[in-house]
Structures are given as C-alpha cells and as structure tokens.
Amino acid sequence: MVLGSLKPHSEILQIPPTYLPHRWSPGNYASMWHTPETPLPFNLVSTIVISVCATVIVLLVAIPAAYYTARRRFPGRMAFLGLVLITQMLQPVVLVTGLIREFFALGINDTWLAMILVNSAFNLSFAVWILHSFFASIPVEVEEAAQLDGLNRRQILTRVSLPLVWPGIVTATIFAFVSCWNEFAASLVVLTTAQNQPLSVALTKFIGQYDTAWQYVFAISTVGIVPVVILFALIEKRLVAGLTAGSVK
C-alpha cells in the first residue's frame, strides 16, 4: 500500500506489475489534499473529532457503569449486563433507518454530533464489559481500607480503583477509538455533506465505475492508518496486559 501510494497512476496499472516504483511520485501525498473529488482536510478533521469525542464519551459513561455493576448487587443486575452485551450483536447499519428518523426528529442529521452518538452507543457495551471484569477483580478489602482512611466513594474510584484498572481503560480506549476511526456504514448514510464525512467515506470517492485513482486510495489509506499505528505503539504493553488479564489464576 505504501509503495503503491508512491507510484504514478499509469505504473500501478501496468502489466506485468512491479513491486518497487520505476518513477517515484511522493507528490501524491501533496496533490491528494487538493483533489476535486472530496475535501480531504475537512474529512481528516471530521474523523479526528468524531473518534476522539466518541471515545471520551464511552469512557465517561462506561467507567462509572462498570464500577457500579461490579460493586453493587442490585435487582436485575445480570439482566442489565446481558442487555448491554446484546447491543454488541447489532451494527449501526442494521438500525440506520431508525437512527435517521431519530436524528431528523432531533434536528442533528448530517452533523458530527449524530455520528458521535452512534459511535458512542455501539462501543459502550464492550467498554462496560471489559471494565466490569477489571473492577470486579479488585479485592473489596482494598476499597474498604481506603474508606477507613476517610475517602468517599468518588475519591476511592479516582484515587484507588482507576489506577488499578488502568490496563483495562487503555484496552477499552484503543478498541473504541479504532472502531470509531474505521466506521463506514453509518457515516455513509448519516453524513451526506462532503465536508462532514470521515476519511473512510471520502476514500470511496476515488473509486469510480470505469477508473480508480489508486495512487490516492493508497495514499489516503496510509495516512488513515498512521494515527492508529502510533497509538498502538505507544500503549502496546498496557494493551497486552489488558487483553491477557484473568488468563492465569
């Protein structure tokens, strides 16, 4: 993909194909931002805003929800957790008709807010379940000791419990962010204005019925994976710790 992004269009389609470019075209990365097909700078900003905001909302809602379900035995607790898990079986495209009707009723159709809400809702279940298991693994005695030291429930959560479940928070963050970053189906339907669409939708504008600008497809795809690769590289150790938690008793 990276090598293809550095080839001219004619060389990508030549037969027999070559692995390395005969004529390097790094200018593809500069010219793709000014193509008439789509406003890529706006699409990149849209992708970042939607992904970051949705991930933040997921964490803000999932952390207290997971903590409460792990520490409280309330009526209907397992039914609630089961209902949360069921939402993971659905995809935004399945509910797109209902979502569109709701967004028109709320007056937020074709806005970043609509996609932020969609991505938040469909990534919340995974975050709640993984954080629930992390909070449940913390001995109750640790929090009781903190309570004896004079900490209230909010202080126990922020000062004691959250540092202990940090690998779980990192795992939930990376999965939610990557899912929001790569989301395509709902964005294609909900966001109709070119400037509001994310990179995943803008990429399709370069694929035509009779011709495809492969040099731009490869270049945009490369730009699109760079933030995710950097994020994985920065938190790889904590991510592995989160994924393997509970595998050994």
Side-chain angles (χ1 to χ4, degrees):
M1 182 176 66
V2 175
L3 291 175
S5 68
L6 296 172
K7 293 180 179 180
H9 182 266
S10 57
E11 192 171 327
I12 294 176
L13 300 178
Q14 74 177 15
I15 300 177
T18 58
Y19 186 73
L20 293 175
H22 292 303
R23 181 164 59 89
W24 295 84
S25 301
N28 291 337
Y29 285 92
S31 59
M32 72 178 186
W33 301 104
H34 308 288
T35 56
E37 287 82 0
T38 181
L40 283 181
F42 292 97
N43 301 137
L44 179 59
V45 172
S46 177
T47 305
I48 295 174
V49 171
I50 293 174
S51 301
V52 172
C53 292
T55 303
V56 170
I57 292 176
V58 167
L59 294 178
L60 290 178
V61 177
I63 289 175
Y67 180 74
Y68 189 85
T69 56
R71 285 291 178 257
R72 301 290 184 181
R73 297 295 188 268
F74 56 90
R77 173 173 168 271
M78 295 308 300
F80 169 76
L81 291 174
L83 182 62
V84 170
L85 184 61
I86 289 175
T87 62
Q88 189 69 23
M89 302 177 186
L90 302 175
Q91 292 296 321
V93 66
V94 178
L95 307 176
V96 68
T97 302
L99 290 173
I100 291 293
R101 291 175 62 89
E102 289 293 333
F103 293 151
F104 270 111
L106 296 173
I108 60 173
N109 190 57
D110 192 23
T111 63
W112 287 347
L113 178 59
M115 284 312 305
I116 290 172
L117 294 176
V118 170
N119 285 313
S120 300
F122 283 92
N123 287 285
L124 188 59
S125 57
F126 174 83
V128 170
W129 265 97
I130 193 170
L131 290 174
H132 169 86
S133 62
F134 272 87
F135 281 120
S137 67
I138 300 176
V140 179
E141 292 76 11
V142 174
E143 296 184 356
E144 291 177 347
Q147 194 170 10
L148 290 176
D149 289 335
L151 298 183
N152 57 37
R153 182 63 64 180
R154 180 183 60 82
Q155 291 172 327
I156 292 174
L157 173 62
T158 56
R159 298 184 183 181
V160 178
S161 298
L162 286 184
L164 295 177
V165 300
W166 187 244
I169 295 176
V170 172
T171 304
T173 300
I174 187 66
F175 273 90
F177 181 82
V178 172
S179 177
C180 297
W181 188 273
N182 293 330
E183 202 286 320
F184 170 77
S187 299
L188 179 65
V189 178
V190 174
L191 300 177
T192 56
T193 303
Q195 286 82 356
N196 293 339
Q197 294 172 339
L199 283 177
S200 58
V201 177
L203 184 65
T204 62
K205 304 293 182 63
F206 295 91
I207 302 175
Q209 182 177 1
Y210 301 105
D211 190 23
T212 299
W214 289 112
Q215 72 278 21
Y216 294 138
V217 171
F218 292 145
I220 297 170
S221 300
T222 302
V223 171
I225 68 171
V226 166
V228 177
V229 172
I230 294 176
L231 187 59
F232 265 100
L234 292 176
I235 64 176
E236 175 188 4
K237 293 182 180 179
R238 293 188 180 274
L239 178 64
V240 173
L243 291 176
T244 58
S247 59
V248 179
K249 292 291 186 182

